[in-house]
């Protein structure tokens, strides 16, 4: 039922925003005067809507992505994916981080994440297909189930969705006590209808779901056309070349956002927690990888950088 409602609501929203045949989107592109920019916009729209026909070589390139996934990702990669939850510290606050982690093991937390649409079968399918090129029914996905990669991905989304909910509630309580522009901006960024919430004195289910999806989208990367440069997604060949680089690119975008918010909104402690978690988790996993591959770890500042490379999102 959740799958049907999720899919139906997305289709209705797409028609309302873009038109029945996406004519509103193409109409905007037609207004671009420069021919090069116009063609680039049209191709980007086609790419985002999956309207570019596949080539005969795409099947083979897709299988190469499957092979790369199985040969390069292992149980330590599952642990690396687990550290993705550290991004919650950058997106919310310390209290919401711990409450989000606890929610992974509660029925209420799992139900809320499903209701928000972040752990639906289509959402998990989309996330895993971005990495492997194959949906949950293929052999590659069975391998990911065996090493618990898919289960950890689902847990990441449950944790982030609930952390987003708790964070929105926490900031809204602060706003009710003391009106300040920073709290309003944070809630607005989370997708909260502030004026309606202030009138009713509470956040609606829609507000909480929006906050859940916003935080989940910030820290769990879909690797879709709208989130990446066109060079990453312009065909199966590009996807093979950038297969394990897309997440690192988006982690860089996320880290930049955390730094900007620390400066502009005074969220310095979030940045400190985020960097500390990245360093600690990176130290543990980099050591594990070094022992598994029988290599020496660097020392000094190079070790610090190496730890960050094994922290949330980069690995």
């Amino acid at each position: 039922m959740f799958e049907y409602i999720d899919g139906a609501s997305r289709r209705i929203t797409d028609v309302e925003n873009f038109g029945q045949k996406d004519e509103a989107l193409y109409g905007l592109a037609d207004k671009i005067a420069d021919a090069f920019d116009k063609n680039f916009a049209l191709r980007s729209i086609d790419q985002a809507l999956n309207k570019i026909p596949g080539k005969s070589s795409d099947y083979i390139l897709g299988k190469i992505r499957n092979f790369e996934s199985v040969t390069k990702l292992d149980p330590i990669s599952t642990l690396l994916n687990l550290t993705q939850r550290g991004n919650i510290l950058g997106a919310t606050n310390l209290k919401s981080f711990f409450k989000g982690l606890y929610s992974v093991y509660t029925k209420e937390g799992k139900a809320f994440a499903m209701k928000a649409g972040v752990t639906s079968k289509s959402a998990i399918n989309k996330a895993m297909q971005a990495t492997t090129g194959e949906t949950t029914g293929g052999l590659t996905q069975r391998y990911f189930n065996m090493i618990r990669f898919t289960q950890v991905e689902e847990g990441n989304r449950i944790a982030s969705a609930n952390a987003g909910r708790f964070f929105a509630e926490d900031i809204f309580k602060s706003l009710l006590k003391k009106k300040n522009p920073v709290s309003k901006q944070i809630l607005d960024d989370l997708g909260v209808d502030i004026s309606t919430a202030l009138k009713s004195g509470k956040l609606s289910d829609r507000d909480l779901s929006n906050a859940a999806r916003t935080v989940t989208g910030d820290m769990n990367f879909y690797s879709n056309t709208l989130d990446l440069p066109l060079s990453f997604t312009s065909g199966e060949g590009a996807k093979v070349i950038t297969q394990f680089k897309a997440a690192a690119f988006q982690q860089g975008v996320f880290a930049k956002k955390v730094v900007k918010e620390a400066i502009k909104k005074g969220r310095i402690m979030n940045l400190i927690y985020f960097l500390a978690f990245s360093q600690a988790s990176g130290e543990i996993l980099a050591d594990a990888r070094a022992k598994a591959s029988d290599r020496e770890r660097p020392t000094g500042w190079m070790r610090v950088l190496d730890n960050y490379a094994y922290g949330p999102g980069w690995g």
Side-chain angles (χ1 to χ4, degrees):
M1 179 61 72
F2 282 120
E3 296 293 326
Y4 176 80
I5 295 172
D6 179 53
S9 63
R10 288 174 187 272
R11 285 191 292 273
I12 292 171
T13 303
D14 285 348
V15 171
E16 289 177 346
N17 292 333
F18 308 139
Q20 192 167 359
K21 296 182 178 179
D22 306 306
E23 61 271 13
L25 272 178
Y26 288 107
L28 289 173
D30 285 335
K31 294 179 181 179
I32 299 174
D34 183 83
F36 178 84
D37 290 343
K38 177 180 177 179
N39 288 332
F40 181 81
L42 289 170
R43 180 170 176 78
S44 297
I45 293 171
D46 286 341
Q47 184 72 29
L49 298 174
N50 293 316
K51 290 186 177 181
I52 296 178
K55 300 176 182 178
S56 57
S57 59
D58 285 355
Y59 176 80
I60 297 174
L61 291 171
K63 291 302 178 184
I64 291 175
R65 289 178 69 199
N66 298 160
F67 177 78
E68 290 282 288
S69 298
V70 173
T71 56
K72 291 187 177 179
L73 298 180
D74 55 24
I76 294 180
S77 301
T78 300
L79 294 176
L80 283 168
N81 192 27
L82 185 64
T83 67
Q84 195 81 6
R85 296 177 196 185
N87 280 348
I88 296 173
L89 287 167
T92 62
N93 58 22
L94 190 62
K95 182 168 68 173
S96 300
F97 168 72
F98 284 113
K99 291 176 76 173
L101 293 186
Y102 179 72
S103 297
V104 176
Y105 307 101
T106 67
K107 289 183 179 179
E108 194 262 343
K110 293 176 182 177
F112 174 77
M114 177 63 77
K115 183 179 178 181
V118 301
T119 56
S120 63
K121 186 177 179 181
S122 61
I124 299 296
N125 241 357
K126 186 177 180 181
M128 299 308 298
Q129 190 172 17
T131 301
T132 67
E134 201 172 79
T135 56
T136 52
L139 291 174
T140 307
Q141 287 304 323
R142 292 179 188 175
Y143 169 74
F144 273 86
N145 287 333
M146 184 182 72
I147 65 172
R148 308 295 293 177
F149 194 95
T150 305
Q151 292 86 337
V152 166
E153 178 66 27
E154 183 178 1
N156 289 349
R157 292 169 183 276
I158 295 172
S160 59
N162 283 277
R165 167 177 59 140
F166 294 130
F167 184 52
E169 290 175 334
D170 194 36
I171 297 298
F172 185 68
K173 287 178 183 177
S174 299
L175 184 64
L176 289 176
K177 293 178 182 177
K178 181 182 178 181
K179 304 292 188 296
N180 68 80
V182 173
S183 294
K184 284 187 175 182
Q185 183 59 59
I186 291 172
L187 289 170
D188 187 57
D189 291 343
L190 289 171
V192 171
D193 185 343
I194 301 172
S195 60
T196 302
L198 287 173
K199 289 177 183 177
S200 64
K202 64 178 182 178
L203 298 178
S204 67
D205 288 344
R206 185 178 189 133
D207 289 331
L208 296 175
S209 292
N210 285 344
R213 285 192 289 267
T214 298
V215 173
T216 300
D218 278 348
M219 61 152 285
N220 298 284
F221 313 126
Y222 280 113
S223 297
N224 62 33
T225 307
L226 299 178
D227 296 328
L228 293 167
L230 194 59
S231 57
F232 278 66
T233 59
S234 57
E236 285 298 324
K239 290 177 183 178
V240 170
I241 295 170
T242 63
Q243 184 170 1
F244 300 110
K245 299 178 178 65
F249 173 86
Q250 290 175 288
Q251 181 67 23
V253 173
F254 175 76
K256 181 181 177 181
K257 179 181 178 180
V258 173
V259 172
K260 285 178 65 177
E261 291 206 347
I263 297 170
K264 289 186 175 182
K265 300 177 182 177
R267 302 182 65 199
I268 300 298
M269 290 308 299
N270 291 73
L271 177 60
I272 293 173
Y273 293 142
F274 172 66
L275 293 176
F277 181 93
S278 299
Q279 186 64 206
S281 61
E283 174 71 26
I284 295 169
L285 291 174
D287 273 354
R289 180 72 79 185
K291 289 178 181 178
S293 58
D294 194 27
R295 70 174 178 85
E296 292 289 327
R297 291 287 316 278
T299 58
W301 280 106
M302 290 304 296
R303 189 182 185 95
V304 173
L305 294 175
D306 193 46
N307 288 342
Y308 280 123
Y310 278 87
W314 301 107

